[in-house]
Amino acid sequence: MLLIRCPYCAAERPELEFTYGGEAHIVRPQNPSSTTDDEWRDFLYIRSNARGIHYERWRHMHGCGRFFNAVRDTVTDKFVMTYKAGLPRPDQAELEAARS
Amino acid sequence: MSTFRIPGKGRVDPSKPVQFTFNDKTYDGFEGDTVASALLASGQHLVGRSFKYHRPRGFLSAGSEEPNALLGIDHGPGRVEPNSRATVVEISQGLKTISQNHWPSLERDVGAINDVLYMLFSAGFYYKTFMWPKSFWNKVYEPIIRGTAGLGKSPTLPDPDIYSSRFAHCDVLVVGAGPAGLAAALEAGRSGAKVLLVDEQAELGGSLLSETDGGIDGLTGWAWLKASVDELAGMANVTLLPRTTAIGYYHQNFVGLCQRITDHLASAPEGTPRERMWKVRAKQVVLAQGAIEKPLVFDGNDRPGVMLASAARTYLNRYGVKVGASPVVVTTHDSAWLAAFDLARAGVKVVAIIDIRPIVPAHLTASASALGIEVLTSWTVTGTKGRLRISSLRAKPIHGSAAQAREFACDTLLMSGGWNPTLHLFSHSQGKLEWREDAQVFLPSKHVEQSRCAGAGNGDFGLARVLAEGAEAGVDAAMDAGFTAKASIYAVNDELDMTGISSRELPTDRNADTAKAFIDFQNDVTAKDIRLAVREGFKSIEHIKRYTTTGMATDQGKTSNINGLAIAADAVQRPVPSVGLTTFRPPYTPTTFGAFAGYNRGRLFDVTRKTSIDAWAEEHGAVFEPVALWRRAWYFPKPGEDMHAAVARECKATRDSLGIFDASTLGKIEIVGPDAAEFLNRMYTNPWSKLQPGRCRYGVLLGEDGFIRDDGVIGRLTHDRFHVTTTTGGAARVLNMMEDYLQTEFPDLKVWLTSTTEQWSVIAINGPNARNLLAPLVEGIDLSEEAFPHMSVGVGRICGVPTRLFRMSFSGERGYEVNVPARYGRAVWEKLIAEGQAYGVTPYGTETMHVLRAEKGYIIVGQDTDGTLTPDDAGLGWAIGKAKPDFVGKRSLARPDMLKTDRKHLVGLLTADPKVVLEEGAQIVLDPNQSVPMTMVGHVTSSYWSVALGRSIALAVIEGGNGRMGETVHIPMPDGTLQAEVTGTVFLDPENTRLSA
Ligand SMILES: [Zn+2]
C-alpha cells in the first residue's frame, strides 16, 4: 500500500484514503460546441498510457476531499511528487529534485 | 516406541510428553516437537502420496520449504486444514493428523498406477488432454482427474476461529531471527530504535538451533542465543514475534506479517484470535531470512528416507531425533559432511559420504576418517530402491565403468546440492537480483526500498561473517532511522569455511530420459519433463514453468526453482541469467484466508445501511432485498401471500386509494450558493435558471461522453438553495462527479455541496387519497391544487416536525415525498400509517414501486440504461435544455455516432401471450428462423405483471426501436421462442390524469 502526500493537507497518508481520478492536465475545452469531432474525441478518450512518468489526478476522498495532481512512475508504481490542482506540470528540474 | 530419539539431545522438553495421532494411530512426542520430528522419532518416514504419480513420499526438509510432507490437520470441528507442512506444525495434546492423496490407504494406494503410466502424465499433460475430444474429456478424463487429483480435502464446516489484524509502525523491522537477524536486532535495539523481530519458527535462533558447532564470545551457540534473546526481551523498544511469517513486502516498506497465536496450543482461552495479520510500516527493514538447501537431482531422489542433509542435522540437534540407523550422504557441498559428523558423534553408523567433487577440503576427509566413515569422492548416485522407504542405492565413480558400481544398503540418504539465499521478500520489494556464476546462485543486488540483506540470505556463510553482517545491517538501519549505533565485534571459534559446487542432475550411466529424477516434488515434475518442454518449443522460463507446472505448487518452488532453471538453461543452451528467474509472489508461505479476512467476515463483511424506518418494516414482516449497500423492504407479505400476491395487492391498493413507501435511501445532495443554479445548468441537461423557488424538476445527469449517469428530482427551495435527489446507488458517485467539476473545471463558481442522504427520512405517499391523508397533518404549506401543483416543493411542518414536502410521483398517482429529519422518520411513518387507516393505507416495497413506475414508463438508471444510452435513446430528449450553450455531455450528443438512427432505443414490449412475463435480460432477435448464433438486436430491461392492466408489460432496448413501433420481435428462450409487439413505454394513463386525481 502506497503512501501518498496530499498537497492540501501537507501530510503523507495511506493509499486507502485516496481515490484515483484518471490522467491529469486534460483540459475541458472552454467552449465544447466549437470543437471538431476529432478534437472532442481526443478530449474524451485519448490518453497517454505512459510507461514511466505519468501525470494523474487523485482525490483525498477520506480526508480533505480535494482533487490534486500527482506524478507517478508507472513502471515502479511509485509517486514522484504531488501538487495542487490548477498548477502546471512540474518541469524536469522539479522532478529531479523530487526524485533525489 | 520412540526408538529414534536420543535421550539428552535436542531442545524438546522430555518432561512434557504430548500425544497426537497420525492416521488414527497415537504417537508420542514432547513439547517443542513438530509433527515431523515426532513422527521421525518413531521411525515414520512415509507420510504422503505425491500429487500426480501417487509415489510414496516422506520428509524432504525440516522447515517451511517442505514440498512433500503435507498433512491434513484436525484441531476439532471446523478447525480442519489440509496441506499443512508437517515440518512446521507443532504437536499439541490431542492433535489429529492424516495423510493425503491416497486411496484406500497410505501404504496401498490405487492411484499409484499413475506412476506406471508415467509417460501419460508428462510435461504439458493438462494442456494436451484438453485437446482431446470433448466427449472423452467430459466422460472419461475429467471424472478420473477430479477423483484422484488435488491436494488434501477442503474443510466443510464454517471456521469457528477469530482472526485479528492490526497496523504497526516501527523504526527497524528485522525479518529472520537467526544469527544475522539477532545481531541486527541487538544493535538496533541497543540504539533505542523501535524494533520488530519476526521469525516464522516457534523459537528464535534460526540455524543456531540446528548447527551446534560454533561458539560465540566464549559461549556455546545455544548459550549465546539465550543471552541474546533475554537481552532483546528485556528491551521495552523491542517486540519479538516468533511464529510470525513475513508474507509479503510491498511499497514504501509496508510488510505483511502473519502471526500464528493458538495453533500450537491444546486449548486457548475463549476469544483468543487464532492468527493475527500485522500490516507494518517500517522506516528500515533488515532481511535476514537465511538460505534453503538445494536437493540433488537423480533417479529415485524422492523416496521416503531421502532428505536434505541440513534437515537430518536439524532433527538431530534441535529435536534429538536420528532420522535413520544407516544413512548415506551424497553431496556437492561441505555442509552435508557436518551433518554426517554430527550423526556419527551421536552414535549413528554413517555408511558412506559420496561427494561429486574430485577434491574436498582435507579437514573433512580427516574428520570422516577419524569417525570411521567411508568417503567416495568423484562418485555419483545413479538410483535408489525401496518400496515405501529407501532400502539401498547404487553409486559409481563418475568416470568409472558400470562394473565399478556399488550397491549400498541404507535406510536414509542425506543430500545436499548447496544453498540458495532466500530472496522472496527482497524480490517482492522489486529488488534487483544478480547471478553469481561461481556459486551458481542469485544474490540480492540493488535495493529499491529502505532495506538491507544480511547473512546467508546475502550468500554469506560462516558464523563470523553472518554475525558481522547482521550487526552492520542493524547499525546501518538504526542510523538511517535516526539513531546512533556502533557495531559489536563477535569472536567466533570453530569457524569453518563452507565450500561447494552446484550440479545439475547428478552424472549417470543410465538413460536420463527414463529416470524419475524429481525437481519439483510437490507437483511431480522431473528433469525429463523440463527437457521435453524445451524440445516442444518452450524457451522462456515463464512458459516452461507453466507448461511443466514446476515451481507452481503451494511451496512455490522453494527447493525446486533453481534446479529447474539450471536444467532448463542447459536444455536451451543459454546461460542461467538470460533464461531468467520466475517471479516471486507473496505470500511467502501459504496463508489462511482467515488471516486475510481478519475481522471482515459475517456481519462485518460489508456495511448494511438501514433507514430509520427499517426496523418498522422488519417488525411488520417485510421481505428485504439489497440495493447498493442498503437493505430495502422488497414487499410486505400478509399471511399466506407469496411475492406475486403481495405485490398485486400493494399495487392495487396504491392505485385505488393510498400506498406508503420508505424512499429514504434516495441519494440527497444539498447545493447551496449564489451560483447554485448556474452550477446545475452546467451539470444537468435541464435548464435551472428559470425554475422558481417552490418548484421542482426532473433532472438528467450525463457523463462527458453523453451517456446517462443518473437522474432525480431537484427542488429549488430558495434562489440559492437546491435539494437534489439521486438514485439510491448513485449518490456517492454523483457527489464525487460534482465535486470534481466544481474543484477542477468550474472553480469560479461559488457553490457548496453537502451530502444529506442520511439526514432526511423520505416517506413517499402515493394514491388518490394522498392529499386527504396529508392535509390535516401539514402546517405551513397550502396543499391546494393551485398553491401546490404537481412538481412543487415546500418547507413547513408535518406531525409537528420540520419537513421539506415534495409533490412528485414515481407511480403515476398523485404523490408526495415527505422529507423529515431522520430522527423523526419512524415516528412520522407510524403516524401516517395510523392516520391512513381511514383510507386503507398500504405499505409497499421496492417491487411494487418498480411495477408502478414501469406501468408509467419511468426509467431506472442502471436497469433500463446501461451506460450506453443517451437521453434521446431513453426517450428523455425532452429533458435537454436545448438553448443552453453547454452542459456536461452536451457536445458528445452531437457526435456522428450519437445521431445514428439504428442506436438502441428504449421501447415498450407487449407479449403476444399477455400471461407471459418476459425474463429481464432476455435477448431479442428480429428473425427467429435465422441460424445460430443469431443476431441479437437488444434485450429486455424491465418486466413485470401489471395488475392495473391485467397483463404483462416490459421495457427493452432495441436497435432502431423508435422506428419499429407495432413490429413483432422475438425472444428465444430455452423452452421456445416468445413473440412481443414493440410499443411506446407508457402503458398506463398516457394523459397523466391520475397525477392530479
Ligand atoms: Zn488532503
Side-chain angles (χ1 to χ4, degrees), chain B residues 65-212:
Chain B
E65 71 269 33
E66 176 63 32
N68 277 343
L70 303 184
L71 302 182
I73 300 294
D74 186 344
H75 284 280
R79 294 186 167 94
V80 177
E81 196 162 285
N83 302 328
S84 299
R85 289 147 295 154
T87 50
V88 300
V89 175
E90 297 169 62
I91 58 169
S92 56
Q93 185 65 34
L95 178 73
K96 292 183 195 160
T97 69
I98 52 160
S99 55
Q100 304 183 150
N101 221 24
H102 53 71
W103 185 86
S105 76
L106 178 59
E107 288 74 19
R108 297 175 186 282
D109 174 19
V110 169
I113 188 74
N114 290 0
D115 196 22
V116 181
L117 303 175
Y118 183 69
M119 298 311 285
L120 211 59
F121 288 83
S122 60
F125 149 71
Y126 291 99
Y127 302 97
K128 288 166 184 163
T129 319
F130 274 118
M131 288 162 67
W132 290 14
K134 191 176 160 198
S135 60
F136 194 79
W137 175 256
N138 285 345
K139 293 194 177 72
V140 182
Y141 249 86
E142 198 192 355
I144 291 175
I145 291 170
R146 287 240 181 275
T148 58
L151 289 162
K153 286 196 178 68
S154 297
T156 52
L157 297 174
D159 186 341
D161 281 315
I162 46 175
Y163 296 82
S164 75
S165 64
R166 69 168 56 154
F167 288 94
H169 297 261
C170 66
D171 297 309
V172 180
L173 168 67
V174 181
V175 179
L182 287 168
L186 283 167
E187 303 297 357
R190 287 168 190 155
S191 79
K194 189 177 173 192
V195 177
L196 283 183
L197 174 61
V198 305
D199 194 283
E200 62 178 351
Q201 301 208 42
E203 201 178 353
L204 305 182
S207 62
L208 290 174
L209 300 169
S210 309
E211 299 169 12
T212 47

Side-chain angles (χ1 to χ4, degrees), chain A residues 29-92:
Chain A
Q30 278 296 320
N31 185 0
S33 52
S34 68
T35 59
T36 65
D37 284 336
D38 283 358
E39 285 166 350
W40 187 251
R41 174 206 60 201
D42 289 357
F43 162 71
L44 280 183
Y45 297 119
I46 305 304
R47 298 294 180 264
S48 63
N49 194 25
R51 184 179 195 279
I53 290 297
H54 188 238
Y55 299 86
E56 57 197 27
R57 294 167 359 112
W58 285 79
R59 186 180 181 203
H60 195 186
M61 187 77 179
H62 304 292
C64 65
R66 301 296 298 267
F67 283 85
F68 59 89
N69 293 331
V71 185
R72 197 173 55 90
D73 187 326
T74 61
V75 175
T76 64
D77 220 23
K78 289 189 174 169
F79 282 82
V80 179
M81 63 181 293
T82 58
Y83 51 104
K84 291 179 178 177
L87 293 181
R89 276 172 217 257
D91 59 26
Q92 205 55 39

Side-chain angles (χ1 to χ4, degrees), chain A residues 3 28 37 57 59 67, chain B residues 252 704 736 740 743 891:
Chain A
L3 291 172
R28 188 174 192 267
D37 284 336
R57 294 167 359 112
R59 186 180 181 203
F67 283 85
Chain B
Q252 290 163 298
E704 204 66 272
N736 187 63
D740 190 352
Q743 289 182 30
R891 174 64 184 85

Side-chain angles (χ1 to χ4, degrees), chain B residues 455-467:
Chain B
N458 217 13
D460 284 311
F461 302 97
L463 195 50
R465 276 162 73 186
V466 164
L467 286 167

Side-chain angles (χ1 to χ4, degrees), chain A residues 1-4 12 14-16 19 21 26-38 40-41 43-45 57 59 61 64-68 75-79 85, chain B residues 167 250-252 254 279 281 429-430 448-449 682 703-707 732 735-741 743-746 885-896 898:
Chain A
M1 184 167 52
L2 292 163
L3 291 172
I4 302 175
E12 214 170 40
E15 193 183 331
L16 283 173
T19 51
I26 293 176
V27 181
R28 188 174 192 267
Q30 278 296 320
N31 185 0
S33 52
S34 68
T35 59
T36 65
D37 284 336
D38 283 358
W40 187 251
R41 174 206 60 201
F43 162 71
L44 280 183
Y45 297 119
R57 294 167 359 112
R59 186 180 181 203
M61 187 77 179
C64 65
R66 301 296 298 267
F67 283 85
F68 59 89
V75 175
T76 64
D77 220 23
K78 289 189 174 169
F79 282 82
Chain B
F167 288 94
Y250 308 89
H251 287 314
Q252 290 163 298
F254 190 66
K279 297 163 191 178
R281 186 78 69 173
S429 79
Q430 312 290 315
V448 173
E449 295 289 344
R682 296 188 196 182
E704 204 66 272
D705 54 15
F707 299 126
L735 182 60
N736 187 63
M737 178 177 167
M738 287 181 175
E739 277 289 350
D740 190 352
Y741 277 87
Q743 289 182 30
T744 65
E745 297 294 347
F746 312 138
D886 188 21
F887 56 81
V888 173
K890 178 180 166 71
R891 174 64 184 85
S892 290
L893 298 179
R895 295 183 68 222
M898 301 300 215

Side-chain angles (χ1 to χ4, degrees), chain A residues 6 8-9 60 63-65:
Chain A
C6 172
Y8 293 97
C9 296
H60 195 186
C64 65

